[in-house]
Amino acid sequence: MTCDYFGKCGSCTAYNKGYTGQFLDKQEDARALFSPFYKKPFEAFASTSSHYRNRAEFRIWHEGEAIDFAMNSVDGGRVLIEQCPKADKAINALLPRLKEVLKQSPLLRHKLFSVEFLSAHEGMLVTLIYHKKLDHAWEEAARELEKALHVRLIGRSRGVKKVLSQEWVVDALHVKEKTYRFKLLEGAFSQPNRSVNAQMIAWVCSKLDPLTCKDLLELYCGHGNFTLPLSGHFRAVLATEISKASIKSALENCTLNGTHNITFVRMSAEELTSALNKEREFVRLREVDLDDYDFSHLFVDPPRAGMDEKSCAFAAQFEHIIYISCNPHTLARDLELLTKTHEVAHFALFDQFPYTHHLESGVILTKKT
Ligand SMILES: C[S@@+](CC[C@H](N)C(=O)[O-])C[C@H]1O[C@@H](n2cnc3c(N)ncnc32)[C@H](O)[C@@H]1O
């Protein structure tokens, strides 16, 4: 990918060596960081080198009557942009059309602060974020905009969210020969790079040995992105997550995909750890008999902060641990603890965030004999 804004826009920071070079550099850094835990060659999965992000967010820059999309610049200011080659093609096609409509409508552009896009196979969510109250006149104009652009529009302002038609879009995820359909909800977490996401899920599934798979416990499950594809390999799955909205879409995603062996519960990792350690009882678990499960595998995909110390200690009781991480540094910290009881069987690097220094990793650990 080439971009007119390389060196100016603060969003891409590793571009000098091209796509392949930046990924090789990240692999080199990972090898050094993880060498205490894993000596064998890493498996490495590349991204497509442009149009790989299905989520994007731009600031709005106002200059008199004119508006522009803007990103933070490398020097802390802003850079005005027309296109963003890392955002998917549907988002790029929408940018000039949206700008034109906003140009024509003082009501829609007044105090517009930023715009977020979530692009899916079956539609596009556009969230307009304002520094003003969204009144009836705004709502009428926004309805026209929604119709004109064939998108699902949401307005946000100081804790108020106005959903004009629906706050979700359905995406299709192709993993090996299967296609899953996922409802993605505005404001809830979803993986930003669809092709790398599919590769991560396929990699995890390919490492599962049917002879060892009984029941699966998943922490930080989001809307069921990994849960649904993994559920086919297990008798039963218990999956937990802190966000109410994500759990709601996870339940709907089970229905969308005809999956029946998953129980989703809204609980933090810390709460679930206490429940399974029999330290606390939770009303939210009253329909769930924890003793019915025979967990062979623990799957975790925590936020950048990684797992807390207590959750790592809890993980030690599982025969197999699958850890997906978006932060190599917290992963290295957690591996310090996890490798006291487990050894790393497989390690993969996924270029989920090209042209940045961020890297996604997948680690499969097996209990030491
Ligand atoms: C990196 S995302 C992964 C989600 C999902 N695995 C996916 O692939 O879409 C991390 C998730 O952890 C959730 N989360 C954050 N802190 C948590 C906690 N303390 N306990 C449980 N879930 C948490 C977030 O809401 C988010 O959905």
Side-chain angles (χ1 to χ4, degrees):
M1 166 178 115
T2 57
C3 179
D4 292 346
Y5 312 106
F6 275 158
K8 298 176 208 148
C9 172
S11 169
C12 290
T13 47
Y15 48 83
N16 284 335
K17 297 184 180 173
Y19 177 76
T20 309
Q22 61 88 43
F23 190 29
L24 285 173
D25 280 356
K26 283 191 241 187
Q27 292 172 52
E28 197 60 46
D29 292 346
R31 256 190 291 279
L33 181 65
F34 295 119
S35 63
F37 315 110
Y38 192 70
K39 306 276 184 234
K40 290 185 269 178
F42 291 85
E43 291 175 70
F45 296 87
S47 170
T48 46
S49 71
S50 65
H51 302 299
Y52 45 83
R53 274 193 73 96
N54 36 300
R55 285 197 273 132
E57 179 185 346
F58 304 101
R59 290 274 304 279
I60 298 292
W61 184 257
H62 298 257
E63 192 81 61
E65 299 287 285
I67 63 154
D68 277 290
F69 297 107
M71 299 290 276
N72 291 334
S73 63
V74 279
D75 57 11
R78 36 106 198 137
V79 53
L80 307 185
I81 63 142
E82 298 291 338
Q83 292 279 284
C84 176
K86 68 180 179 175
D88 90 2
K89 288 185 178 162
I91 296 176
N92 276 295
L94 192 57
L95 286 174
R97 294 174 62 218
L98 177 61
K99 187 168 147 180
E100 190 52 38
V101 184
L102 291 173
K103 208 167 111 190
Q104 307 299 331
S105 171
L107 185 60
L108 287 174
R109 70 167 187 267
H110 181 58
K111 299 236 171 181
L112 178 60
F113 173 72
S114 65
V115 186
E116 292 174 3
F117 299 88
L118 176 58
S119 171
H121 280 99
E122 297 178 28
M124 170 92 75
L125 274 182
V126 179
T127 307
L128 302 177
I129 302 166
Y130 288 89
H131 282 162
K132 70 172 177 184
K133 206 164 160 249
L134 303 180
D135 57 12
H136 186 65
W138 175 86
E139 206 166 315
E140 289 209 331
R143 276 191 202 291
E144 290 303 312
L145 175 64
E146 192 181 57
K147 269 194 235 138
L149 297 181
H150 301 291
V151 297
R152 302 294 184 176
L153 203 71
I154 293 164
R156 280 187 177 274
S157 166
R158 293 191 198 102
V160 174
K161 175 169 164 178
K162 292 229 177 198
V163 179
L164 296 184
S165 51
Q166 66 182 43
E167 57 180 326
W168 47 267
V169 275
V170 173
D171 203 24
L173 190 68
H174 309 294
V175 182
K176 297 270 170 153
E177 67 287 353
K178 274 198 89 170
T179 299
Y180 299 88
R181 291 176 74 227
F182 283 99
K183 224 177 208 193
L184 308 180
L185 197 65
E186 196 265 348
F189 178 87
S190 62
Q191 299 283 355
N193 186 324
R194 193 186 284 124
S195 78
V196 172
N197 184 31
Q199 294 186 76
M200 292 197 295
I201 298 169
W203 179 78
V204 173
C205 291
S206 75
K207 299 298 179 206
L208 294 173
D209 175 355
L211 294 175
T212 66
C213 290
K214 293 177 200 163
D215 295 339
L216 170 70
L217 175 66
E218 180 179 359
L219 311 180
Y220 317 94
C221 68
H223 63 241
N225 174 53
F226 283 93
T227 329
L228 270 77
L230 287 178
S231 67
H233 298 262
F234 292 89
R235 185 191 71 99
V237 181
L238 177 62
T240 61
E241 152 71 44
I242 204 167
S243 153
K244 204 173 182 173
S246 294
I247 287 292
K248 185 169 173 276
S249 43
L251 291 166
E252 291 172 1
N253 288 331
C254 278
T255 310
L256 260 183
N257 293 279
T259 308
H260 302 289
N261 65 338
I262 308 173
T263 301
F264 285 103
V265 186
R266 186 181 67 80
M267 290 190 100
S268 71
E270 300 76 9
E271 287 171 331
L272 188 82
T273 307
S274 302
L276 282 166
N277 284 340
K278 311 251 184 235
E279 294 161 5
R280 267 180 78 187
E281 287 193 3
F282 291 85
V283 179
R284 278 168 282 159
L285 280 173
R286 73 181 156 225
E287 310 277 310
V288 182
D289 188 349
L290 295 175
D291 295 329
D292 268 359
Y293 290 95
D294 183 8
F295 294 119
S296 54
H297 289 65
L298 174 71
F299 179 94
V300 297
D301 179 12
R304 287 185 60 73
M307 288 168 78
D308 66 307
E309 217 170 288
K310 199 168 166 197
S311 302
C312 283
F314 166 77
Q317 65 190 272
F318 291 81
E319 199 60 36
H320 306 277
I321 305 168
I322 304 164
Y323 192 141
I324 299 290
S325 156
C326 57
N327 183 343
H329 300 284
T330 54
L331 174 62
R333 181 201 64 201
D334 293 347
L335 285 177
E336 275 298 341
L337 295 174
L338 296 173
T339 51
K340 287 185 178 149
T341 50
H342 288 65
E343 59 199 355
V344 178
H346 306 282
F347 210 131
L349 307 173
F350 301 95
D351 200 17
Q352 169 108 263
F353 312 99
Y355 305 104
T356 74
H357 295 283
H358 295 291
L359 180 66
E360 190 98 5
S361 314
V363 188
I364 300 188
L365 299 112
T366 312
K367 206 169 203 170
K368 287 179 182 167
T369 46

